[in-house]
Amino acid sequence: MEKIPSPIIYEMNYTEDGLKDFSDSSVNFNKKNREYLIDYPTVYIINKETKNDTYNVYVGETSNIKVRTNQHLNRNPINKDTESLSNPKSRLMYVIGHEYFNKSLTLDIENKLMHYLSTVPQVDVVHNRRTNQQNKYFTSKYFEEIFSKVWQELRKKNKSLFPLKSIIEDSALFKASPFHKLTPEQIDAKEKIYSKVVKTLEENEAGKLILVSGEAGSGKTVLMSSLFYDLKTELAEELSDNKELKVHMMVNHDAQLIVYKQIADKLGLTTNEELETILKPTRFINKVSPDEPIDVLIVDEAHLLWTQGKQAYRGKNQLHDLLERARVVIAVFDVNQILTTEQYWEQDELEKIKAMSKENDNYIFLTNQMRIEAEDQTIDWIRHLIDKQTVLNIPKDKKSYEIKVFEDANQMHKAIKEKSKDQNKGISRIVATFDWEYVDKRKPENENYWMVKDGDFKIPWNYQLKPDDRSVKYRNLSWAEQPHTINEAGSTYTVQGFDLNYVGVIIGPSVKLRNGKIIFDKDESENKKAKQRRTLKNGSKEYLAEFLLKNELNVLLTRGIHGLYLYAVDAELQEALLKAQRGEIELG
């Protein structure tokens, strides 16, 4: 195996004197290293520590580091982001060189540094308003290893600014970042959507729907995040009138809303307009008039939109109301992640919105499964359990994805705790079907917490335990990112849209196996939003629990990146899962 050289990293004061020392031939590095820093393309990071022990950083790349630094220092900004660099007080600069660096590789390194640094909790703002994903090039096969070496060397200089990669990679912010390297399928989808947005705005059309679909884990959120970033930073320049555009993103999910707001703040995407850049649908609908529609609206998790009036929303269908208030609506929609009666679409209405998008070739379906890093046969096993509602023998996965069935929930919780202790294994958590009572803002009568229970096993539902460290650092973290939540059980409403490394699923008594078929028993569920009746258009009141509880199971079983641990309360289902693990299921 070829040994990859280490990078050369030079730390300097971001001042005229610092640049002079760096340029001086007597500077303390050998001739070859000097050549890689001075004559080769380089990547650089300028950072300033603020009064709150946080950082503002700028990431860039250049073929001439001396000229570029001089431009920054002398207020000749490359773009408006570099204007903030004109006051060099208390700033440091890291110049990164490598003998394998060429233009494409430095652009990829720059992009990935922005990805990581925009996720670091100690970083307030990352300046540089471009994404630079490169395709194949001469040294592309060395990219990941070189980046890891760069990060390791930067950690030696500042562990606060450059924390462990594994910690960063586990964060919800990292996973939703617009700087992910997109797959060819995502690139094609993004280019198609972008061009359709430009065409719609150029032709002054309105009420256009672009529908993006695909199963859980197919990369829809990353695609939307990347698209949103490009639309906010580049779209106005594409249009002939070059006017300021109104581009907003929304999601009807509190935890994901926080993540998107953090991304917008860190990357300078927020505006001073009365209407927030990132917001929830009801606020948008109540604030924006159909007479003055905005330009572009991206709706992530559009299956969470309401299809009936509720609380402050007095309409009948939020997606229809959004289409009246935007010239283009880009909506991510997965019918298999609808969880409540208030989100339910009747079949004819669902067909109408699909037809509306397909009419102008505005329906995009992502086929690649990106979350679950497993062989197709493993993914097929999970899908068969959910979609066909039958249990097959668990396959052996050559990619090391682990499906494991436990004898009891205590054993499974212990195993999840062990996985979560290893920082290289990432965040792992227990989740459960909503089959145990939980009442928000009220304590149970005889216990301190609402609990998930089975035999001698019990664990509090999510958002009840308090961290040992009561500092504000957990305020903007998703549920799973907070360390004390290893001792809680998450629900579908908590983990929908988020990834876990290993997920331990307690399949509660609402999911049973009878006569070889998985069934859903609404009487065993505590999910009132799924088990109540819905009034349909024809006036009839119908139970939708079988459809909604099946979707609940779908969300929980598709959270794990590297592993799925299972325990079922129903004796017949538990026995079938154990037999499947032993390879004893007889196929008829």
Side-chain angles (χ1 to χ4, degrees):
M1 183 178 291
E2 183 177 354
K3 185 177 180 180
I4 307 300
S6 295
I8 305 102
I9 299 181
Y10 181 80
E11 180 181 338
M12 60 182 271
N13 290 323
Y14 179 61
T15 61
E16 296 280 0
D17 288 340
L19 178 59
K20 184 176 182 299
D21 289 341
F22 173 71
S23 303
D24 194 322
S25 60
S26 63
V27 75
N28 189 26
F29 41 69
N30 63 41
K31 183 177 179 181
K32 180 174 281 190
N33 285 354
R34 176 178 173 76
E35 181 182 11
Y36 295 143
L37 290 172
I38 301 294
D39 299 330
Y40 275 50
T42 54
V43 182
Y44 60 94
I45 303 168
I46 303 169
N47 73 85
K48 177 186 178 181
E49 190 168 0
T50 69
K51 292 179 182 178
N52 300 321
D53 297 324
T54 57
Y55 299 89
N56 290 339
V57 300
Y58 180 90
V59 184
E61 61 79 37
T62 180
S63 57
N64 192 322
I65 188 63
K66 291 194 292 183
V67 170
R68 179 61 58 89
T69 306
N70 191 55
Q71 289 175 336
H72 287 325
L73 288 168
N74 289 284
R75 303 191 182 196
N76 181 15
I78 311 310
N79 57 48
K80 66 180 181 180
D81 286 324
T82 61
E83 292 172 9
S84 62
L85 304 176
S86 59
N87 175 13
K89 185 180 178 182
S90 302
R91 282 184 167 90
L92 290 176
M93 183 171 181
Y94 300 109
V95 183
I96 305 162
H98 197 282
E99 64 180 89
Y100 287 7
F101 274 2
N102 52 42
K103 183 68 172 179
S104 293
L105 183 52
T106 56
L107 286 170
D108 262 352
I109 295 288
E110 176 196 36
N111 191 71
K112 194 152 189 172
L113 282 170
M114 287 190 286
H115 186 180
Y116 276 68
L117 286 168
S118 64
T119 307
V120 172
Q122 287 76 19
V123 172
D124 286 331
V125 182
V126 175
H127 298 284
N128 190 337
R129 301 172 67 85
R130 61 180 184 178
T131 55
N132 290 312
Q133 176 176 327
Q134 302 294 296
N135 293 320
K136 289 187 177 180
Y137 47 89
F138 180 62
T139 53
S140 60
K141 64 181 178 181
Y142 306 120
F143 165 60
E144 291 294 344
E145 186 172 349
I146 290 173
F147 178 81
S148 292
K149 287 177 177 286
V150 167
W151 195 263
Q152 288 168 11
E153 292 301 313
L154 289 168
R155 265 187 58 74
K156 293 176 184 177
K157 298 183 179 297
N158 188 333
K159 286 183 171 58
S160 175
L161 182 56
F162 305 103
L164 286 170
K165 279 179 63 186
S166 57
I167 293 175
I168 292 174
E169 290 165 357
D170 270 335
S171 73
L173 199 58
F174 180 87
K175 291 169 182 174
S177 170
F179 296 114
H180 277 283
K181 195 158 189 172
L182 303 183
T183 65
E185 181 182 47
Q186 287 173 315
I187 292 170
D188 288 346
K190 180 179 168 181
E191 290 175 348
K192 183 177 181 180
I193 295 169
Y194 194 97
S195 64
K196 287 181 176 294
V197 169
V198 171
K199 182 176 183 292
T200 299
L201 298 183
E202 288 279 19
E203 296 179 358
N204 203 29
E205 296 181 275
K208 290 293 182 182
L209 174 64
I210 299 173
L211 203 61
V212 181
S213 193
E215 292 181 357
S218 57
K220 301 183 294 294
T221 290
V222 167
L223 171 61
M224 290 303 103
S225 179
S226 179
L227 182 67
F228 176 66
Y229 185 82
D230 283 2
L231 291 172
K232 288 289 289 183
T233 57
E234 299 175 8
L235 180 59
E237 298 174 7
E238 296 274 350
L239 302 176
S240 55
D241 55 12
N242 202 27
K243 70 169 186 176
E244 185 175 350
L245 296 172
K246 293 183 178 180
V247 179
H248 294 266
M249 175 178 267
M250 69 176 51
V251 62
N252 208 20
H253 189 289
D254 291 336
Q256 287 172 301
L257 191 75
I258 290 171
V259 170
Y260 281 127
K261 283 185 174 180
Q262 285 181 292
I263 290 172
D265 288 342
K266 288 193 175 217
L267 300 178
L269 303 180
T270 54
T271 64
N272 294 322
E273 300 172 13
E274 181 183 354
L275 189 67
E276 304 95 318
T277 303
I278 314 291
L279 72 170
K280 296 184 83 169
T282 298
R283 177 166 173 76
F284 178 88
I285 291 165
N286 291 340
K287 293 287 289 185
V288 176
S289 167
D291 297 330
E292 297 180 3
I294 68 154
D295 297 293
V296 185
L297 180 62
I298 294 178
V299 188
D300 196 9
E301 310 271 7
H303 40 269
L304 301 181
L305 294 174
W306 297 334
T307 55
Q308 63 180 25
K310 179 186 175 184
Q311 297 169 347
Y313 175 62
R314 297 290 178 248
K316 295 181 178 179
N317 186 299
Q318 287 186 324
L319 182 56
H320 292 330
D321 289 343
L322 297 178
L323 284 164
E324 291 179 349
R325 290 161 172 81
R327 297 170 68 187
V328 187
V329 174
I330 305 159
V332 172
F333 195 93
D334 181 357
V335 69
N336 295 319
Q337 292 198 64
I338 292 172
L339 298 177
T340 70
T341 55
E342 66 214 10
Q343 300 163 358
Y344 179 75
W345 286 76
E346 294 188 43
Q347 192 60 37
D348 63 330
E349 287 292 316
L350 197 58
E351 292 303 321
K352 281 180 187 176
I353 67 158
K354 285 185 179 180
M356 187 190 305
S357 62
K358 288 179 178 178
E359 182 180 351
N360 297 307
D361 191 29
N362 285 354
Y363 181 76
I364 293 168
F365 188 86
L366 299 180
T367 59
N368 292 336
Q369 165 56 243
M370 296 176 63
R371 176 183 293 133
I372 299 174
E373 295 187 2
E375 291 186 299
D376 289 344
Q377 60 180 357
T378 301
I379 296 170
D380 289 345
W381 185 89
I382 297 171
R383 294 264 38 108
H384 205 97
L385 185 74
I386 300 164
D387 301 331
K388 304 295 184 184
Q389 296 170 230
T390 54
V391 181
L392 302 179
N393 289 321
I394 298 173
K396 300 295 183 184
D397 192 280
K398 293 179 181 176
K399 288 186 178 180
S400 300
Y401 187 91
E402 185 181 14
I403 297 177
K404 186 172 181 179
V405 184
F406 287 80
E407 296 281 354
D408 62 57
N410 277 309
Q411 289 182 9
M412 185 169 74
H413 189 204
K414 183 179 178 181
I416 286 292
K417 282 183 172 181
E418 286 301 313
K419 290 294 184 186
S420 202
K421 281 179 185 177
D422 186 347
Q423 288 186 325
N424 293 320
K425 295 292 185 185
I427 293 174
S428 300
R429 289 293 183 269
I430 290 286
V431 300
T433 54
F434 201 165
D435 295 345
W436 292 266
E437 190 176 11
Y438 176 87
V439 180
D440 192 24
K441 298 178 182 176
R442 177 166 73 81
K443 278 194 170 186
E445 291 183 9
N446 301 317
E447 292 186 283
N448 291 325
Y449 308 112
W450 299 104
M451 309 291 282
V452 173
K453 300 178 182 180
D454 182 65
D456 64 353
F457 172 81
K458 62 179 183 178
I459 186 173
W461 271 122
N462 43 219
Y463 295 121
Q464 296 186 95
L465 299 181
K466 303 299 180 185
D468 294 332
D469 177 0
R470 300 292 183 91
S471 68
V472 296
K473 68 180 181 180
Y474 297 122
R475 184 178 298 164
N476 291 326
L477 295 181
S478 67
W479 170 78
E481 291 176 83
Q482 302 177 49
H484 65 282
T485 63
I486 188 65
N487 291 312
E488 290 184 325
S491 73
T492 44
Y493 301 114
T494 305
V495 300
Q496 186 174 36
F498 293 97
D499 296 341
L500 294 167
N501 197 46
Y502 281 74
V503 61
V505 183
I506 300 173
I507 303 175
S510 70
V511 186
K512 307 177 186 296
L513 188 75
R514 297 293 183 267
N515 300 315
K517 189 86 170 178
I518 291 173
I519 63 169
F520 299 93
D521 184 352
K522 66 178 173 52
D523 294 331
E524 296 276 15
S525 173
E526 290 293 337
N527 189 350
K528 294 178 175 60
K529 292 183 177 182
K531 58 192 286 187
Q532 65 191 3
R533 292 193 295 177
R534 163 83 183 242
T535 303
L536 302 183
K537 284 191 306 180
N538 63 9
S540 66
K541 294 181 181 293
E542 302 290 341
Y543 286 111
L544 308 168
E546 184 171 349
F547 168 73
L548 297 173
L549 295 180
K550 180 179 177 180
N551 283 358
E552 179 180 69
L553 186 65
N554 174 54
V555 168
L556 296 179
L557 295 186
T558 55
R559 293 306 99 194
I561 298 171
H562 294 297
L564 170 63
Y565 290 172
L566 294 168
Y567 169 74
V569 172
D570 179 69
E572 286 190 43
L573 178 56
Q574 173 69 0
E575 179 57 30
L577 290 170
L578 288 169
K579 287 178 69 175
Q581 183 164 259
R582 298 190 297 263
E584 297 174 358
I585 298 289
E586 296 182 7
L587 302 178

